[in-house]
Amino acid sequence: MHYWLLKTEPSELSIDTLAERGDAGACWEGVRNYQARNMLRDQVQLGDKVFIYHSSCAQIGIAGIARVIRSAYPDPSQFDKHSIYFDAASTLEKPRWISVDVCHERTFAEIVSLQALKANPALSDLAVVKKGSRLSVSPVAADEWKAVLKMAGK
DNA sequence: GCCAACGTTGGC
DNA sequence: GCCAACGTTGGC
């Protein structure tokens, strides 16, 4: 099992919205970066745990935990002409973009802020604390996972 | 709204 | 294949 960090703008899909979906979970769609796509396709596995990170918002940071309930499959939004994620160059036979499904596991009592993440020396390698990091999917080491849980309390 | 960092595009 | 121009991301 591996750990990941998934970025989302809460106005698009927040940890609260994810919680409302319950066991059905949500499709993690709209990843349009090849490096992130490759990780979704090749490495993210059923049962993996992910941190849900809120970006571009009032409270930036890790908001909670979700679990992968369906591994790599073609991102439906690439075929949807009405979606902002529509990609005319992608075909059913050769889909270009990949989704996974995740379901909510836990919302932290308080968001573990980016500031706090940056202040923790144990997390200096976390992609999200690095300047210019734009990957929407990034790996989290087991000890980093534990360190964040500790910061979240309990 | 600003701007640094990064990714993609396209002319050559 | 190089690289300048452009677009996007995302923290501040």
Side-chain angles (χ1 to χ4, degrees), chain A residues 45-57:
Chain A
Q45 294 173 337
L46 190 67
D48 281 359
K49 306 261 193 180
V50 303
F51 284 138
I52 302 297
Y53 177 91
H54 286 176
S55 71
S56 296
C57 60

Side-chain angles (χ1 to χ4, degrees), chain A residues 122-135:
Chain A
L123 300 175
S124 58
D125 286 333
L126 210 59
V128 98
V129 311
K130 290 178 183 168
K131 204 176 175 182
S133 160
R134 293 166 55 178
L135 274 189

Side-chain angles (χ1 to χ4, degrees), chain A residues 50-88:
Chain A
V50 303
F51 284 138
I52 302 297
Y53 177 91
H54 286 176
S55 71
S56 296
C57 60
Q59 282 200 77
I60 299 163
I62 298 176
I65 300 172
R67 186 179 76 251
V68 177
I69 55 171
R70 184 181 177 188
S71 58
Y73 66 100
D75 182 342
S77 67
Q78 68 195 308
F79 307 121
D80 178 2
K81 277 187 184 148
H82 303 295
S83 170
I84 54 166
Y85 299 124
F86 177 69
D87 185 346

Side-chain angles (χ1 to χ4, degrees), chain A residues 79-142:
Chain A
F79 307 121
D80 178 2
K81 277 187 184 148
H82 303 295
S83 170
I84 54 166
Y85 299 124
F86 177 69
D87 185 346
S90 190
T91 63
L92 284 167
E93 294 74 28
K94 279 196 157 188
R96 180 179 289 180
W97 305 111
I98 293 294
S99 281
V100 300
D101 287 356
V102 298
C103 87
H104 178 268
E105 277 215 334
R106 178 182 165 197
T107 299
F108 293 156
E110 284 185 30
I111 282 183
V112 178
S113 71
L114 176 58
Q115 232 181 345
L117 296 173
K118 282 181 174 170
N120 188 341
L123 300 175
S124 58
D125 286 333
L126 210 59
V128 98
V129 311
K130 290 178 183 168
K131 204 176 175 182
S133 160
R134 293 166 55 178
L135 274 189
S136 54
V137 181
S138 55
V140 176

